[in-house]
Amino acid sequence: MTVYSPPSDLLAERCVLVTGAGDGIGRAAALAYARHGANVVLLGRTRAKLEAVFDHIAKETKTRPTIVPADLQHLGEDSASALREGIERDYGRLDGILHNASLLGPRNPVEHYPATDWHAVMQVNVNAAFLLTRALLPLLNQSQDASVILTSSGVGRRGRAYWGAYAVAKFATEGLMEVLADECAHAGRVRVNSLNPGGTRTAMRAAAYPTEDPATLPIAESHMPLYLYLMGPDSKGVTGQRFDAKAWQVVTRACPSA
Ligand code: NDP
């Protein structure tokens, strides 16, 4: 078990984009990043959920969040470029991306998997991460210390029956992580890693396992030490690696032996 206790100013002055920031793990990460000093760009599908996260951050911290209501289903080169221009205009920098938004899609055998759902899952879970990363790399490359986190899954490391496009997309996510990490390694400014949160009490998990008791699962907040470690300067030099939230635990600086 790895223990990490982030300082409260871990991400001070930094600007971080979180996709799927309105709910579940993305919401928890956006709040954690803001609580540790980051100006967070909150991208998600449902405006009302983003506004609620925005209000929470504005009430609790002195950071400057922004909301970007956007359906990644429709993200193209132009909208990715527009996002870069907006971040450049509003913050003048970008120090990290948490690619977190994903679609579960149907749980069917490949033989019966609808092609439209296949394309939708690949678009949201893989193509959007590629398009956003490509558009935002010029900004990340200007940062002295930037981090890209791609969200994986157990089925992105070992395929399982009936997980269809979701599993295949997570394998592609791992591939994107390795290719990008290798490309960025030489300059040493942008580190790229993948993170598997593992079974977590969220709407997606409930949809995937409807008969499971959610009370048996960890809440998203319990994974935040790893999300903070990978986004902040303590992970400088760590790149091209696959992380699992299960191996991490919460410890506060005030009580390091707790
Ligand atoms: P949730 O479904 O709870 O939240 C996903 C978020 O992504 C929501 O805010 C959702 O927006 C947003 N989103 C979905 N589709 C789009 C889209 N087309 N455009 C923009 N935003 C979108 O998922 P989790 O928090 O459970 O999952 C977060 C990540 O962790 C995912 O990548 C998932 O694959 C991964 N993961 C989760 C596990 C778990 O047990 N929960 C296990 C392993 C991996 P809205 O709320 O508006 O619909």
Side-chain angles (χ1 to χ4, degrees):
M1 178 76 74
T2 305
V3 168
Y4 176 64
S5 60
S8 59
D9 63 348
L10 182 81
L11 302 174
E13 311 296 329
R14 295 184 186 218
C15 176
V16 173
L17 168 68
V18 177
T19 71
D23 211 341
I25 297 168
R27 176 183 183 279
L31 290 168
Y33 292 158
R35 285 176 183 134
H36 287 79
N39 292 318
V40 185
V41 180
L42 308 159
L43 187 151
R45 197 165 43 175
T46 309
R47 177 183 283 273
K49 290 186 182 182
L50 298 176
E51 285 173 349
V53 179
F54 178 100
D55 289 346
H56 201 126
I57 291 173
K59 204 168 154 192
E60 220 191 281
T61 78
K62 292 191 166 68
T63 66
R64 289 189 298 122
T66 326
I67 64 165
V68 180
D71 188 340
L72 295 175
Q73 192 65 68
H74 307 298
L75 184 86
E77 291 180 282
D78 290 349
S79 37
S81 297
L83 178 64
R84 181 190 60 228
E85 286 160 19
I87 292 174
E88 202 163 14
R89 183 192 60 235
D90 294 345
Y91 298 105
R93 64 188 290 165
L94 184 67
D95 307 284
I97 307 175
L98 170 61
H99 291 291
N100 163 82
S102 279
L103 277 185
L104 179 62
R107 304 283 310 287
N108 286 345
V110 169
E111 189 179 0
H112 301 296
Y113 203 98
T116 46
D117 290 311
W118 184 279
H119 292 305
V121 171
M122 297 306 277
Q123 163 65 17
V124 172
N125 298 13
V126 184
N127 300 348
F130 154 68
L131 287 166
L132 287 174
T133 306
R134 192 183 64 171
L136 296 169
L137 264 175
L139 279 179
L140 293 172
N141 278 322
Q142 287 168 30
S143 168
Q144 289 306 308
D145 175 36
S147 174
V148 176
I149 305 172
L150 292 135
T151 308
S152 189
S153 163
V155 293
R157 294 174 181 172
R158 186 181 175 87
R160 249 190 288 153
Y162 316 130
W163 282 84
Y166 179 85
V168 174
K170 294 298 186 183
F171 270 89
T173 297
E174 297 283 7
L176 176 60
M177 180 277 284
E178 289 188 8
V179 169
L180 192 59
D182 203 32
E183 289 174 0
C184 294
H186 181 64
R189 285 175 175 230
V190 183
R191 58 187 174 283
V192 188
N193 295 285
S194 70
L195 194 173
N196 170 22
T200 308
R201 201 184 307 170
T202 67
M204 181 186 286
R205 177 75 184 191
Y209 294 91
T211 59
E212 184 177 57
D213 177 4
T216 61
L217 296 168
I219 56 172
E221 287 71 15
S222 66
H223 303 324
M224 291 307 121
L226 177 55
Y227 280 79
L228 285 160
Y229 167 74
L230 286 177
M231 191 53 78
D234 290 330
S235 60
K236 199 164 185 168
V238 175
T239 195
Q241 295 192 28
R242 300 170 173 202
F243 286 83
D244 280 286
K246 245 193 248 171
W248 287 65
Q249 92 180 50
V250 182
V251 173
T252 65
R253 285 218 171 220
C255 186
S257 58

